[in-house]
Amino acid sequence: MSERLGGCADPGALDADALALYRELVHGRRAERPPAFPLTGPSGRLNGPAATWLLHPPLGTALERLGATVSYDLTLSARCKETVILTVAHHHDSVFEKYAHRLGAARAGFTAEETEELCAGRTPASAGPEERCTHRVARTLLADGRLDDASHAEALAVLGPKGLFEAVTLTGFYTLLAYQLGAYAIVPPAGG
C-alpha cells in the first residue's frame, strides 16, 4: 500500500464518513459480485483506487456509485469493457489497472495471449467487431480527446448509442482511476 495515503488506508483510523464509505465498498454491492482482484488486504486496507476515495468521503461516495454502475450496469459485454480498461491501462502504463484487469479479462473469457495483446496496446486478432470498435474508440479518445465524424459514425453503427456512450464513459472513468493510482503510487498487493 502506498505511503502517500497516510492513515486513511487503515480501517481503524477512519472517521465516521470514511468508515461508512469503507463499509459500502467492502460489504455493499461489490460484496455481492466481488471484483476479480481482492478489494482488501489481510489487514483490511483497501487495494486499488478505492483507497484514495477515503480521503474525501463525499467525492469518494460519488466515485463508488459510478464505479458500481460501470462494473455492474452496462450493456457492453464483459469482453468489451475489459478491452477498454486494458487499453486505458496501457496508455497510462497503469501497473495496478493492468494487474486488476488481467484478472478481469480472464474472468471475461480472454486467453492469456489476448490479454497480453491488450496490455501491449494491440487489438487481439481474435477480437470480434464490438471489441475492435471499443478498442478503436478508447485509443482514439486517449490520443486525440475526441472522435471525428467518421469514427463517431462507425462506432455508433457497431455499438449503438448506449454502447458508444458506455465506451466513452469507461475510457474517462478508468483514466481518472489511472491518475489516482499514479498520484498516490498505488501498486498491486504483494504477490500480484
Side-chain angles (χ1 to χ4, degrees):
M1 182 53 60
S2 173
E3 296 302 316
R4 294 181 185 180
L5 289 171
C8 90
D10 181 3
L14 300 176
D15 66 25
D17 291 337
L19 186 58
L21 174 56
Y22 175 88
R23 286 184 177 139
E24 178 60 30
L25 287 161
V26 174
H27 302 296
R29 194 168 186 192
R30 283 173 171 73
E32 297 168 16
R33 288 177 30 191
F37 69 95
L39 192 58
T40 60
S43 68
R45 288 178 159 217
L46 290 170
N47 291 320
T52 67
W53 302 350
L54 299 175
L55 292 166
H56 191 292
L59 187 54
T61 298
L63 291 169
E64 187 283 325
R65 288 183 184 137
L66 179 56
T69 299
V70 301
S71 294
Y72 307 118
D73 296 332
L74 299 188
T75 60
L76 286 175
S77 71
R79 288 178 64 96
C80 285
K81 289 191 308 189
E82 294 301 331
T83 295
V84 170
I85 296 165
L86 287 173
T87 302
V88 170
H90 166 74
H91 179 81
H92 294 291
D93 195 24
S94 179
V95 176
F96 190 93
E97 283 181 336
K98 286 180 184 177
Y99 151 75
H101 290 281
R102 277 183 172 106
L103 299 170
R107 187 185 271 185
F110 281 105
T111 66
E113 294 78 20
E114 291 170 323
T115 300
E116 291 312 308
E117 287 290 305
L118 288 167
C119 286
R122 297 184 294 271
T123 308
S126 58
E130 289 183 344
E131 293 160 31
R132 289 182 179 286
C133 185
T134 54
H135 192 236
R136 278 192 303 276
V137 165
R139 274 193 332 222
T140 302
L141 287 172
L142 291 163
D144 302 337
R146 64 183 199 86
L147 295 176
D148 63 26
D149 289 343
S151 298
H152 184 273
E154 175 196 359
L156 197 58
V158 174
L159 302 174
K162 189 181 285 187
L164 174 56
F165 180 72
E166 290 175 0
V168 170
T169 301
L170 276 171
T171 303
F173 182 68
Y174 278 89
T175 293
L176 169 64
L177 298 185
Y179 289 162
Q180 291 173 341
L181 291 161
Y184 289 92
I186 297 174
V187 296

